[in-house]
Amino acid sequence: MDITQRFLNYTQFDTQSNEDSQSVPSTAKQLVFAKYLKEELEREGLSDVEMDDMGYIYATLKANTRKPTPTIGFISHYDTSPDCSGANIHPRIVKNYDGGDIILSEGIVSSPTKFPELKAHVGEDLIVTDGTTLLGADDKAGIAEIVQAMCWLRDHDEVKHGDIRVAFNPDEEIGMGAHHFDVERFGCDWAYTMDGGDIGDLEFENFNAASAKVRIKGVSVHPGYAKGKMVNANRLAAEFIALLPANETPEETEGYEGFYHLLGIQSGIEQATLSYIIRDHDRDRFEDRKHFIEKCVEKMNERYGEGTVQAEVKDQYYNMKEKIDPNMHVIDIVLTAMQECGVTPRVEPIRGGTDGAQLSFKGLPCPNIFAGGVNFHGPYEFVSIQVMQKAVEVITKICEITAEFND
C-alpha cells in the first residue's frame, strides 16, 4: 500500500476528541480507529503490538543488526481537533497544483491570497477537503508516515537499524495525549513526535502553558431597585478582561512573544466564568504572567469585596528545550537526516505544545518533526503527498543514522 492510500483510509475514521469529556479516551469513536491501527500493525508484521484499554498503541520493528544501538521511537496522535468536524471527510487530490485558487466546494475556496502557504507547493499533489470538515493530516499524516517508514525498513534489510518503537495515542488535541503514555513500557532512549507542520519543520522549543478559570460572583437585584445592592457579574467580567494587556493576545503576537488568550465566557448577573490559557516560552515570564492574573484578582476584590473574584490557575506543560538541551545529539541526528534527504531544516519555536513536551518531562527526550499538514483544525487544511513521502525518507534515515550512533 502506498502512503496516499494509507492516509486516505485513515481519514474515513472520525476521531474527534472532546475537551469536556472525563473518559479516556475522551470519545469512544477514537477506539474504533485505534483497533484498526492495531490490526494494521499486526498485518504489516510488526512485533509486540499491543493496545491498552485507553487506546494507547505500542509496537516494535525489531533490529536487523547485532550491533548495540539505541532504541528510538516515533509517536503520533490519532485524535482530531474539537474545533472542526472530523465526520464524513471527503478528501480529494489536486494533482500538479498550479498555484491558483482551489475550489473545495460551491462558495468555498482555498486561495493562495488568503493562504500563502499554498505557493510553496506548486507542482505537487495536494490532498484537500471539500470545505465542510477538517482533513485530519494533524496527525493522521504522521501516523501514515511512521507506518510507511516501518514497512519500507521491513522490506529493505540492507538498511541496518536497531529496535524501533512506534506509538499512537488519543487526545493530544485536548492536551491529554501524554498523560497516560507509558514511557517505561515504550522503553526508548529518545523519541520523535511526527506532528509538525510543513516540510523541514523541526521543533524542540514550545510554550510553557497554563490554564486559568476566573470565577466572578455577582448579586442579582431587580434593576429598578439595584442601587448599592446589585453586583453585575457581566460588567465585572468585562472589567477584568480590560485589565489584561490588549497587545498580548494571540492575534497580536508572534515568535517568542507570549500571550493571554480568552477561550470563552459564561456570564450572567449572578455569576461569570472566564476561561483563559496563558503562554510564554520564557519560564520566568510565564511565572510573571500567572502572577499577574492573581494581581488582577486582588485588584478586583479590593474594589468589590473579598471573594468576589477567584482564579484557579493550573500548569499544563513546560518548554521541552529545558530537557532537550542536555541531549542535543537527538537534534543533530535529525538535522543530518534532513540534509541527507535534501530537506532544508526550519528550526523554530512552537507557538503551542505537543505530546513531546510532556513526554520530555517524563524522561523521554522527544522533539517534533514535520508531518506535512498545513492549516490545521479547519476546512482549509491540506497536505502534500510529496511532503509525506519526504517525511518517510527522513524517518528511515534517522533510523539508519542512529544505528551508527556512538554516545
Side-chain angles (χ1 to χ4, degrees), residues 22 51 54 125 176 220 277 279 334 382:
Q22 299 301 310
M51 183 179 80
M54 295 179 287
D125 303 319
M176 299 295 292
S220 180
I277 59 173
R279 300 290 188 264
V334 182
F382 71 89

Side-chain angles (χ1 to χ4, degrees), residues 52-335:
D52 66 20
D53 58 1
M54 295 179 287
Y56 287 73
I57 303 167
Y58 308 93
T60 307
L61 182 68
K62 292 291 189 182
N64 62 359
T65 177
R66 293 184 179 180
K67 177 184 176 182
T69 61
T71 298
I72 64 170
F74 294 90
I75 303 167
S76 288
H77 66 90
Y78 52 75
D79 66 312
T80 59
S81 171
D83 295 346
C84 184
S85 174
N88 301 312
I89 294 173
H90 298 289
R92 69 182 176 91
I93 300 173
V94 178
K95 291 187 176 293
N96 192 22
Y97 172 59
D98 64 6
D101 289 354
I102 301 174
I103 309 299
L104 302 179
S105 58
E106 186 175 353
I108 303 176
V109 179
S110 183
S111 170
T113 302
K114 186 174 183 180
F115 302 107
E117 299 88 352
L118 283 164
K119 297 176 183 177
H121 298 283
V122 173
E124 298 175 10
D125 303 319
L126 308 185
I127 304 177
V128 301
T129 75
D130 66 354
T132 64
T133 68
L134 48 65
L135 178 62
D138 179 16
D139 191 23
K140 289 170 182 169
I143 297 174
E145 290 154 7
I146 292 170
V147 175
Q148 200 71 22
M150 296 306 103
C151 292
W152 189 91
L153 288 169
R154 176 201 64 197
D155 296 339
H156 291 79
D157 198 54
E158 73 278 7
V159 177
K160 300 305 176 186
H161 58 82
D163 282 347
I164 305 166
R165 293 281 278 162
V166 302
F168 306 126
N169 60 268
D171 290 340
E172 188 270 353
E173 296 291 359
I174 58 172
M176 299 295 292
H179 283 216
H180 301 282
F181 193 104
D182 193 332
V183 169
E184 185 175 350
R185 174 189 285 187
F186 197 42
C188 290
D189 294 282
W190 68 82
Y192 303 96
T193 49
M194 298 298 299
D195 192 21
D198 213 342
I199 188 166
D201 283 359
L202 172 59
E203 301 158 328
F204 59 95
E205 296 183 67
N206 60 277
F207 276 140
N208 296 290
S211 64
K213 288 281 188 184
V214 179
R215 295 181 173 87
I216 301 171
K217 183 179 180 181
V219 177
S220 180
V221 178
H222 188 289
Y225 309 94
K227 185 175 181 179
K229 303 172 184 177
M230 177 182 286
V231 178
N232 190 334
N234 293 304
R235 191 174 58 77
L236 268 62
E239 185 174 332
F240 185 92
I241 292 168
L243 291 176
L244 300 183
N247 64 338
E248 296 182 19
T249 61
E251 57 268 40
E252 297 290 338
T253 55
E254 61 184 353
Y256 284 95
E257 297 170 335
F259 57 73
Y260 305 92
H261 180 35
L262 180 60
L263 290 176
I265 305 171
Q266 294 178 313
S267 186
I269 292 174
E270 287 193 321
Q271 60 184 11
T273 301
L274 307 177
S275 298
Y276 282 94
I277 59 173
I278 303 165
R279 300 290 188 264
D280 209 297
H281 282 91
D282 182 87
R283 188 66 171 264
D284 290 338
R285 289 197 299 267
F286 173 63
E287 297 298 330
D288 288 344
R289 289 184 183 281
K290 292 188 294 179
H291 184 63
F292 185 70
I293 291 285
E294 300 288 354
K295 294 296 288 184
C296 290
V297 170
E298 291 175 12
K299 184 174 182 178
M300 294 287 289
N301 285 333
E302 287 172 2
R303 181 170 182 179
Y304 296 104
E306 191 63 34
T308 302
V309 182
Q310 296 178 325
E312 181 182 15
V313 180
K314 292 183 178 180
D315 287 357
Q316 295 172 308
Y317 53 83
Y318 303 110
N319 190 344
M320 75 171 87
K321 186 177 188 295
E322 181 179 328
K323 299 299 181 180
I324 299 297
D325 277 350
N327 297 282
M328 283 302 290
H329 61 275
V330 174
I331 301 301
D332 294 338
I333 288 171
V334 182
L335 292 173

